[in-house]
Amino acid sequence: MTIGIIVAMSKELRLILPLIEGMREVTHGNTLFYEGTVGRNRVALMECGIGKVNAAVGATLMIEYFHPDLVVNSGVGASASGDVAVMDTVIATGVVHHDFWCIGEEWGRVPGSPRVLPAESFEAVIPDAPGVKRGLIASGDLFISCREEVDRILSHFPEAKAIDMESAAIAQVCEASGVPFFGMRVISDSPWASHDNSRQYDDFWEDAPRHSFNLVRQLLTAL
C-alpha cells in the first residue's frame, strides 16, 4: 500500500520523520517530499503549509505524483467540546468547512461536494481509549482564539469535536479523487475554556507531545 502523509507545519513534520525507514528526499517542482517505508507500506510525507489553500494544493500534488491508496493528515487542532482536553487525540469520523457558505446551500456545503466529507476511522486499528476520541473535525482559515468563535462554529456543527485549518480541504480533494482520507488532530488548546489559548498553544509545543503521534505509527504499521 502507498500512503501519503500530509502535515501543515515543520513542528509536525519533525514528529513524523523518525517513523520513516530508508528515507530519501524527492522534489517535484518546488515541493519537497520525503519517501520511504513504514512497516510494509511505502509512504510519502510532505509539509503543505498552513491553511486550506495550501492544504488543497498539497493534497493535489500528493495524489498526482504518488497515487496513494490512502491519504493521512496528521497535526494539531483546538478542542471544540468539553469532553476533549489538551493532549487528547481526535480521529475524524467526518470533516466539514466551518467557514464556507454560498447562497442556496447549507452552511459548510461546497457545491458539488457532500456537506460532511468522509473520513476513515480505522477503529479496529486504533480502538477507543483514554485520550483517543472520535468525531467531527471542522476546518476554516482562522486560528480560533475565544469561546465566542467556538460557539459560532457549534451553532452550525454542534457535534464538532475539534477545529483545525486544513482537514476539510484535504478531505475534499481526496473525495473528488476517489482516495480514502484519514485525519487526526492532537489537541493543543481549548479556546472554549480559556481566554488565553495562545499561551496554551505555546506550552503544548514545549511539552513535545510525541506520544500522541505514536498513533500514526500504530496506524501505518498495522495497515
Side-chain angles (χ1 to χ4, degrees), residues 77-79 98 140-153 163-165 188-201:
S79 170
H98 72 69
D141 282 319
L142 299 166
F143 183 91
I144 301 302
S145 60
C146 65
R147 186 183 186 104
E148 290 75 17
E149 292 169 341
V150 176
D151 288 343
R152 189 176 303 115
I153 293 168
I163 305 165
D164 74 354
M165 299 177 69
S188 59
D189 57 294
S190 50
W192 56 268
S194 171
H195 291 292
D196 188 17
N197 70 307
S198 60
R199 175 164 182 156
Q200 278 187 321
Y201 181 81

Side-chain angles (χ1 to χ4, degrees), residues 155-219:
S155 71
H156 298 291
F157 301 103
E159 66 274 33
K161 293 289 187 183
I163 305 165
D164 74 354
M165 299 177 69
E166 293 85 27
S167 292
I170 297 172
Q172 184 179 339
V173 172
C174 287
E175 195 272 338
S177 303
V179 178
F181 167 83
F182 172 86
M184 58 164 275
R185 285 294 182 270
V186 182
I187 299 303
S188 59
D189 57 294
S190 50
W192 56 268
S194 171
H195 291 292
D196 188 17
N197 70 307
S198 60
R199 175 164 182 156
Q200 278 187 321
Y201 181 81
D202 291 339
D203 290 345
F204 167 86
W205 290 111
E206 289 297 321
D207 289 339
R210 296 178 185 274
H211 67 280
S212 299
F213 284 84
N214 283 338
L215 290 176
V216 177
R217 183 200 298 270
Q218 183 176 335
L219 173 68

Side-chain angles (χ1 to χ4, degrees), residues 20-150:
I20 301 177
E21 300 175 357
M23 186 179 68
R24 67 188 185 99
E25 297 183 2
V26 180
T27 301
H28 290 288
N30 295 322
T31 304
L32 177 63
F33 295 86
Y34 301 87
E35 189 176 12
T37 60
V38 177
R40 297 168 295 179
N41 300 305
R42 173 190 180 228
V43 299
L45 168 66
M46 72 175 301
E47 176 188 341
C48 68
I50 296 171
K52 292 197 294 182
V53 172
N54 283 327
V57 170
T60 300
L61 293 173
M62 178 68 77
I63 292 169
E64 178 181 356
Y65 288 119
F66 293 95
H67 309 289
D69 302 294
L70 172 71
V71 168
V72 171
N73 177 220
S74 175
V76 301
S79 170
S81 173
D83 66 348
V84 176
V86 172
M87 300 293 285
D88 283 351
T89 299
V90 174
I91 295 173
T93 56
V95 189
V96 295
H97 294 277
H98 72 69
D99 62 348
F100 185 92
W101 179 75
C102 180
I103 189 168
E105 297 286 347
E106 293 179 274
W107 191 278
R109 182 192 294 277
V110 176
S113 296
R115 184 174 188 248
V116 178
L117 294 152
E120 304 286 337
S121 62
F122 292 112
E123 294 182 41
V125 176
I126 306 177
D128 290 337
V132 178
K133 310 292 173 63
R134 282 181 163 79
L136 190 72
I137 294 180
S139 301
D141 282 319
L142 299 166
F143 183 91
I144 301 302
S145 60
C146 65
R147 186 183 186 104
E148 290 75 17
E149 292 169 341
V150 176

